[in-house]
Amino acid sequence: MAMSCPLNRYLLLMAQEHLEFRLPFISSQETYGKSPFWILSIPSEDIARNLMKRTVCAKSIFELWGHGKSPEELYSSLKNYPVEKMVPFLHSDSTYKIKIHTFNKTLTQEEKVKRIDALEFLPFEGKVNLKKPQHIFSVLEDYGLDPNCIPENPHNIYFGRWIADGQRELIESYSVKKRHFIGNTSMDAGLSFIMANHGKVKENDIVFDPFVGTGGLLIASAHFGAYVYGTDIDYNTVHGLGKASRKNQKWRGPDENIRANLRQYGLEKYYLDVLVSDASKPSWRKGTYFDAIITDPPYGIRESTRKTGSQKEIPKGMEKCPESHVPVSLSYHLSDMFFDLLNFAAETLVLGGRLVYWLPVYTPEYTEEMVPWHPCLRLISNCEQKLSSHTSRRLITMEKVKKFENRDEYSHLLSDHFLLYKGHNSFREKYFSGVTKRIAKEEKSSQE
Amino acid sequence: MKLLTHNLLSSHVRGVGSRGFPLRLQATEVRINPVEFNPDFVARMIPKVEWAALLEAADTVPKGPIEGYEHDEKFLRQMHHVLLEVDVLEGTLQCPESGRLFPISRGIPNMLLSDEETET
């Protein structure tokens, strides 16, 4: 980005959802916290459009022509906007319309018309076309975030030329509610797109999910043109057999498997393969061929954490995986799982490739030092999503910055770092301890 | 299971290490699955392919990547067919060192091994 090029200012209108995940997606110069209005400096309109082709967090982007804390401030700001930048969109051959958006307040039609009339001083020479205008201009009035306390006057008013909308409709079109094949822990569509964006998934990439489940995370990557692989230790899930996760449905139908999910969205050509495999004992040959590893490992709550076990362990707490006749152990410690995941990512990601995964955390004991670390991977972002009063999960994004040399080289380094996370092996107990206490409390108070 | 996948899989039976690659493929049921041709993706995969392993698994494969393959549509279409359209539905993958068999059923390989069988 050449520093001599003057940056244009754009107004990004964010959706009020997944607030914790909005910031790392766009490295903005100031933090906006809860406000849906973000002002960004972007070198070109093309970049702004490309941003909108990926994001599910932003509703729209506008080229910012003026803003202020009152109508007068807005008008004077508009008068200061260079006329030569306005003229290409206002000339006599063009058509346009002006929209008024208000946030946290409703205006009457009359009030809206008054505001449009007040903009008459702008050098509009084109014709108004309400149906299919070439250019859309918007006035956005910000009346704050508290629906119980709506101010008389807006806090901020913005005026801009509409450029593009974000990909919010993907959340609806890829909704888990309509998906053919789901599991108990299928990821919300919006979050799966956010994860694909954190992974910088692009066309012709190969993306891998080692805890693929029903393949929800693969769908988002395939949507962005990546070819996808998945593995899971659960034979039934990978084959699309067994009990259904939908209420009122007993068994899974023939159309319920990962491939069918991709087919549902016209993305079947991106399906490479899925395998029944233990993520702690991967069967991939030596080499770097994944552009991104995007996954939601089991936390041991709604799905058990498992790895293949030993014949000697058979008597207690065992499950036999019918088709493979391989014993499955129920005691895969969480910290070991992340250790294995990071090592695997360091070994098989291309340089610059990304690992995106969820890390379950017991909030009262959480510290940043607990986030698993690896000498070949750099931490890019760490976003928290609350699950309950004392647990949350963190979306961790890491990028491979160093070539992987030798597995043994890292084991002594990593063991110290993982000591901190080892406390989380009892994540399952801690999660349930809060639940049982609350239930006991509720029962007690209902009896009184 | 596609032949591209076969090219990336290795046996992780205890003690075999890199001699676990490539797995010996025995296919009892194969289907040709038409997949939309994407020359950019195929061209991207060519450098990642272990050619000797591919020649073992498939008959009609060029002996190796040719000069200027990125723009050779005929070559890329051939590779596209071999890597992505040949689908092994039933069969086995065998560890060349230990002889251990990994079954493929409904197009899905099962790579699970017990603790005793895998590397420490």
mmCIF file of all heavy atoms in Angstrom, chain A residues 44-71:
data_model
loop_
_atom_site.group_PDB
_atom_site.id
_atom_site.type_symbol
_atom_site.label_atom_id
_atom_site.label_comp_id
_atom_site.label_asym_id
_atom_site.label_seq_id
_atom_site.Cartn_x
_atom_site.Cartn_y
_atom_site.Cartn_z
ATOM 1 N N SER A 44 -8.853 1.715 -1.673
ATOM 2 C CA SER A 44 -9.617 1.760 -2.920
ATOM 3 C C SER A 44 -10.989 1.141 -2.760
ATOM 4 O O SER A 44 -11.230 0.345 -1.869
ATOM 5 C CB SER A 44 -8.869 1.010 -4.025
ATOM 6 O OG SER A 44 -9.025 -0.393 -3.830
ATOM 7 N N GLU A 45 -11.872 1.495 -3.677
ATOM 8 C CA GLU A 45 -13.225 0.957 -3.640
ATOM 9 C C GLU A 45 -13.217 -0.547 -3.895
ATOM 10 O O GLU A 45 -14.030 -1.282 -3.349
ATOM 11 C CB GLU A 45 -14.074 1.662 -4.694
ATOM 12 C CG GLU A 45 -15.539 1.332 -4.574
ATOM 13 C CD GLU A 45 -16.403 2.242 -5.413
ATOM 14 O OE1 GLU A 45 -16.199 3.471 -5.348
ATOM 15 O OE2 GLU A 45 -17.272 1.731 -6.128
ATOM 16 N N ASP A 46 -12.286 -1.010 -4.716
ATOM 17 C CA ASP A 46 -12.182 -2.450 -4.999
ATOM 18 C C ASP A 46 -11.951 -3.234 -3.726
ATOM 19 O O ASP A 46 -12.535 -4.292 -3.511
ATOM 20 C CB ASP A 46 -11.014 -2.731 -5.960
ATOM 21 C CG ASP A 46 -11.465 -2.612 -7.403
ATOM 22 O OD1 ASP A 46 -12.689 -2.595 -7.630
ATOM 23 O OD2 ASP A 46 -10.597 -2.533 -8.283
ATOM 24 N N ILE A 47 -11.069 -2.706 -2.872
ATOM 25 C CA ILE A 47 -10.783 -3.388 -1.621
ATOM 26 C C ILE A 47 -12.044 -3.408 -0.756
ATOM 27 O O ILE A 47 -12.376 -4.420 -0.135
ATOM 28 C CB ILE A 47 -9.611 -2.712 -0.877
ATOM 29 C CG1 ILE A 47 -8.324 -2.891 -1.694
ATOM 30 C CG2 ILE A 47 -9.430 -3.310 0.519
ATOM 31 C CD1 ILE A 47 -7.101 -2.247 -1.085
ATOM 32 N N ALA A 48 -12.763 -2.294 -0.760
ATOM 33 C CA ALA A 48 -14.002 -2.235 0.019
ATOM 34 C C ALA A 48 -14.993 -3.287 -0.486
ATOM 35 O O ALA A 48 -15.630 -3.983 0.289
ATOM 36 C CB ALA A 48 -14.614 -0.838 -0.077
ATOM 37 N N ARG A 49 -15.112 -3.417 -1.796
ATOM 38 C CA ARG A 49 -16.036 -4.404 -2.361
ATOM 39 C C ARG A 49 -15.617 -5.823 -2.023
ATOM 40 O O ARG A 49 -16.436 -6.679 -1.714
ATOM 41 C CB ARG A 49 -16.101 -4.266 -3.886
ATOM 42 C CG ARG A 49 -16.910 -3.084 -4.336
ATOM 43 C CD ARG A 49 -17.042 -3.023 -5.859
ATOM 44 N NE ARG A 49 -17.582 -1.730 -6.231
ATOM 45 C CZ ARG A 49 -18.875 -1.430 -6.184
ATOM 46 N NH1 ARG A 49 -19.753 -2.338 -5.817
ATOM 47 N NH2 ARG A 49 -19.298 -0.208 -6.508
ATOM 48 N N ASN A 50 -14.310 -6.089 -2.094
ATOM 49 C CA ASN A 50 -13.816 -7.437 -1.786
ATOM 50 C C ASN A 50 -14.059 -7.803 -0.330
ATOM 51 O O ASN A 50 -14.343 -8.942 0.001
ATOM 52 C CB ASN A 50 -12.331 -7.556 -2.124
ATOM 53 C CG ASN A 50 -12.108 -7.623 -3.620
ATOM 54 O OD1 ASN A 50 -12.995 -8.053 -4.350
ATOM 55 N ND2 ASN A 50 -10.950 -7.184 -4.077
ATOM 56 N N LEU A 51 -13.938 -6.807 0.520
ATOM 57 C CA LEU A 51 -14.218 -7.006 1.941
ATOM 58 C C LEU A 51 -15.668 -7.481 2.102
ATOM 59 O O LEU A 51 -15.961 -8.438 2.819
ATOM 60 C CB LEU A 51 -14.028 -5.671 2.655
ATOM 61 C CG LEU A 51 -14.058 -5.640 4.158
ATOM 62 C CD1 LEU A 51 -12.827 -6.332 4.688
ATOM 63 C CD2 LEU A 51 -14.075 -4.200 4.646
ATOM 64 N N MET A 52 -16.577 -6.836 1.406
ATOM 65 C CA MET A 52 -17.990 -7.146 1.538
ATOM 66 C C MET A 52 -18.338 -8.501 0.929
ATOM 67 O O MET A 52 -19.329 -9.113 1.292
ATOM 68 C CB MET A 52 -18.852 -6.046 0.902
ATOM 69 C CG MET A 52 -18.665 -4.696 1.563
ATOM 70 S SD MET A 52 -18.641 -4.747 3.374
ATOM 71 C CE MET A 52 -20.384 -4.740 3.698
ATOM 72 N N LYS A 53 -17.500 -8.994 0.016
ATOM 73 C CA LYS A 53 -17.776 -10.305 -0.589
ATOM 74 C C LYS A 53 -17.522 -11.425 0.402
ATOM 75 O O LYS A 53 -17.928 -12.558 0.181
ATOM 76 C CB LYS A 53 -16.880 -10.520 -1.810
ATOM 77 C CG LYS A 53 -17.338 -9.765 -3.019
ATOM 78 C CD LYS A 53 -16.646 -10.260 -4.285
ATOM 79 C CE LYS A 53 -16.964 -9.302 -5.420
ATOM 80 N NZ LYS A 53 -15.798 -8.945 -6.218
ATOM 81 N N ARG A 54 -16.784 -11.120 1.481
ATOM 82 C CA ARG A 54 -16.426 -12.160 2.432
ATOM 83 C C ARG A 54 -17.162 -12.054 3.759
ATOM 84 O O ARG A 54 -17.449 -13.056 4.389
ATOM 85 C CB ARG A 54 -14.927 -12.067 2.747
ATOM 86 C CG ARG A 54 -14.040 -12.361 1.592
ATOM 87 C CD ARG A 54 -14.039 -13.792 1.230
ATOM 88 N NE ARG A 54 -13.572 -14.622 2.296
ATOM 89 C CZ ARG A 54 -12.767 -15.665 2.141
ATOM 90 N NH1 ARG A 54 -12.338 -15.972 0.939
ATOM 91 N NH2 ARG A 54 -12.402 -16.403 3.170
ATOM 92 N N THR A 55 -17.446 -10.843 4.209
ATOM 93 C CA THR A 55 -17.896 -10.700 5.585
ATOM 94 C C THR A 55 -19.355 -11.083 5.809
ATOM 95 O O THR A 55 -20.232 -10.791 5.006
ATOM 96 C CB THR A 55 -17.680 -9.260 6.084
ATOM 97 O OG1 THR A 55 -18.139 -9.179 7.427
ATOM 98 C CG2 THR A 55 -18.444 -8.254 5.252
ATOM 99 N N VAL A 56 -19.581 -11.764 6.951
ATOM 100 C CA VAL A 56 -20.969 -11.977 7.382
ATOM 101 C C VAL A 56 -21.257 -11.073 8.577
ATOM 102 O O VAL A 56 -22.328 -11.125 9.164
ATOM 103 C CB VAL A 56 -21.248 -13.453 7.761
ATOM 104 C CG1 VAL A 56 -21.215 -14.344 6.559
ATOM 105 C CG2 VAL A 56 -20.291 -13.925 8.828
ATOM 106 N N CYS A 57 -20.262 -10.265 8.958
ATOM 107 C CA CYS A 57 -20.417 -9.416 10.136
ATOM 108 C C CYS A 57 -20.895 -8.023 9.794
ATOM 109 O O CYS A 57 -21.347 -7.288 10.659
ATOM 110 C CB CYS A 57 -19.083 -9.282 10.873
ATOM 111 S SG CYS A 57 -18.495 -10.830 11.520
ATOM 112 N N ALA A 58 -20.748 -7.622 8.542
ATOM 113 C CA ALA A 58 -21.115 -6.266 8.159
ATOM 114 C C ALA A 58 -22.301 -6.279 7.209
ATOM 115 O O ALA A 58 -22.389 -7.118 6.319
ATOM 116 C CB ALA A 58 -19.934 -5.574 7.489
ATOM 117 N N LYS A 59 -23.214 -5.336 7.437
ATOM 118 C CA LYS A 59 -24.396 -5.252 6.582
ATOM 119 C C LYS A 59 -24.075 -4.547 5.272
ATOM 120 O O LYS A 59 -24.459 -5.017 4.207
ATOM 121 C CB LYS A 59 -25.505 -4.488 7.293
ATOM 122 C CG LYS A 59 -26.152 -5.258 8.408
ATOM 123 C CD LYS A 59 -27.300 -4.454 9.002
ATOM 124 C CE LYS A 59 -28.032 -5.258 10.057
ATOM 125 N NZ LYS A 59 -28.903 -4.386 10.849
ATOM 126 N N SER A 60 -23.443 -3.369 5.376
ATOM 127 C CA SER A 60 -23.173 -2.578 4.164
ATOM 128 C C SER A 60 -21.954 -1.716 4.352
ATOM 129 O O SER A 60 -21.525 -1.454 5.475
ATOM 130 C CB SER A 60 -24.336 -1.629 3.855
ATOM 131 O OG SER A 60 -25.565 -2.244 4.044
ATOM 132 N N ILE A 61 -21.427 -1.233 3.221
ATOM 133 C CA ILE A 61 -20.326 -0.278 3.273
ATOM 134 C C ILE A 61 -20.665 0.919 2.382
ATOM 135 O O ILE A 61 -21.270 0.756 1.310
ATOM 136 C CB ILE A 61 -18.981 -0.923 2.880
ATOM 137 C CG1 ILE A 61 -17.826 -0.064 3.373
ATOM 138 C CG2 ILE A 61 -18.873 -1.157 1.374
ATOM 139 C CD1 ILE A 61 -16.486 -0.771 3.368
ATOM 140 N N PHE A 62 -20.325 2.107 2.871
ATOM 141 C CA PHE A 62 -20.642 3.347 2.151
ATOM 142 C C PHE A 62 -19.379 4.172 2.004
ATOM 143 O O PHE A 62 -18.540 4.205 2.903
ATOM 144 C CB PHE A 62 -21.639 4.195 2.942
ATOM 145 C CG PHE A 62 -22.897 3.459 3.321
ATOM 146 C CD1 PHE A 62 -22.969 2.710 4.486
ATOM 147 C CD2 PHE A 62 -24.023 3.542 2.506
ATOM 148 C CE1 PHE A 62 -24.132 2.030 4.834
ATOM 149 C CE2 PHE A 62 -25.197 2.873 2.850
ATOM 150 C CZ PHE A 62 -25.246 2.110 4.013
ATOM 151 N N GLU A 63 -19.270 4.900 0.908
ATOM 152 C CA GLU A 63 -18.191 5.874 0.764
ATOM 153 C C GLU A 63 -18.638 7.093 1.558
ATOM 154 O O GLU A 63 -19.681 7.687 1.259
ATOM 155 C CB GLU A 63 -18.010 6.240 -0.708
ATOM 156 C CG GLU A 63 -16.884 7.235 -0.962
ATOM 157 C CD GLU A 63 -16.769 7.582 -2.436
ATOM 158 O OE1 GLU A 63 -17.801 8.011 -3.008
ATOM 159 O OE2 GLU A 63 -15.680 7.421 -3.010
ATOM 160 N N LEU A 64 -17.866 7.442 2.588
ATOM 161 C CA LEU A 64 -18.316 8.473 3.518
ATOM 162 C C LEU A 64 -18.075 9.867 2.965
ATOM 163 O O LEU A 64 -16.945 10.259 2.725
ATOM 164 C CB LEU A 64 -17.574 8.291 4.854
ATOM 165 C CG LEU A 64 -18.062 9.105 6.040
ATOM 166 C CD1 LEU A 64 -19.481 8.712 6.400
ATOM 167 C CD2 LEU A 64 -17.145 8.878 7.233
ATOM 168 N N TRP A 65 -19.173 10.641 2.804
ATOM 169 C CA TRP A 65 -19.051 11.992 2.274
ATOM 170 C C TRP A 65 -19.105 13.036 3.376
ATOM 171 O O TRP A 65 -18.596 14.138 3.227
ATOM 172 C CB TRP A 65 -20.155 12.262 1.248
ATOM 173 C CG TRP A 65 -19.946 11.564 -0.066
ATOM 174 C CD1 TRP A 65 -19.092 10.535 -0.324
ATOM 175 C CD2 TRP A 65 -20.575 11.873 -1.303
ATOM 176 N NE1 TRP A 65 -19.172 10.164 -1.640
ATOM 177 C CE2 TRP A 65 -20.065 10.970 -2.263
ATOM 178 C CE3 TRP A 65 -21.525 12.830 -1.700
ATOM 179 C CZ2 TRP A 65 -20.486 10.988 -3.602
ATOM 180 C CZ3 TRP A 65 -21.945 12.846 -3.026
ATOM 181 C CH2 TRP A 65 -21.416 11.933 -3.966
ATOM 182 N N GLY A 66 -19.769 12.701 4.466
ATOM 183 C CA GLY A 66 -19.832 13.684 5.551
ATOM 184 C C GLY A 66 -20.433 13.062 6.785
ATOM 185 O O GLY A 66 -21.153 12.070 6.712
ATOM 186 N N HIS A 67 -20.088 13.619 7.937
ATOM 187 C CA HIS A 67 -20.748 13.179 9.166
ATOM 188 C C HIS A 67 -20.631 14.246 10.229
ATOM 189 O O HIS A 67 -19.772 15.128 10.149
ATOM 190 C CB HIS A 67 -20.183 11.840 9.645
ATOM 191 C CG HIS A 67 -18.783 11.902 10.165
ATOM 192 N ND1 HIS A 67 -18.471 11.792 11.493
ATOM 193 C CD2 HIS A 67 -17.614 12.044 9.521
ATOM 194 C CE1 HIS A 67 -17.166 11.852 11.637
ATOM 195 N NE2 HIS A 67 -16.617 12.007 10.463
ATOM 196 N N GLY A 68 -21.500 14.157 11.227
ATOM 197 C CA GLY A 68 -21.466 15.144 12.312
ATOM 198 C C GLY A 68 -22.385 14.739 13.428
ATOM 199 O O GLY A 68 -23.106 13.742 13.326
ATOM 200 N N LYS A 69 -22.330 15.498 14.510
ATOM 201 C CA LYS A 69 -23.164 15.167 15.671
ATOM 202 C C LYS A 69 -24.524 15.844 15.614
ATOM 203 O O LYS A 69 -25.373 15.651 16.483
ATOM 204 C CB LYS A 69 -22.430 15.535 16.963
ATOM 205 C CG LYS A 69 -21.177 14.671 17.136
ATOM 206 C CD LYS A 69 -20.634 14.715 18.550
ATOM 207 C CE LYS A 69 -19.402 13.871 18.713
ATOM 208 N NZ LYS A 69 -19.626 12.456 18.382
ATOM 209 N N SER A 70 -24.708 16.660 14.584
ATOM 210 C CA SER A 70 -25.995 17.329 14.408
ATOM 211 C C SER A 70 -26.180 17.551 12.911
ATOM 212 O O SER A 70 -25.203 17.462 12.161
ATOM 213 C CB SER A 70 -25.959 18.685 15.116
ATOM 214 O OG SER A 70 -25.045 19.529 14.428
ATOM 215 N N PRO A 71 -27.421 17.863 12.476
ATOM 216 C CA PRO A 71 -27.614 18.118 11.038
ATOM 217 C C PRO A 71 -26.696 19.222 10.513
ATOM 218 O O PRO A 71 -26.132 19.107 9.439
ATOM 219 C CB PRO A 71 -29.090 18.525 10.938
ATOM 220 C CG PRO A 71 -29.737 17.922 12.140
ATOM 221 C CD PRO A 71 -28.699 17.898 13.218
#
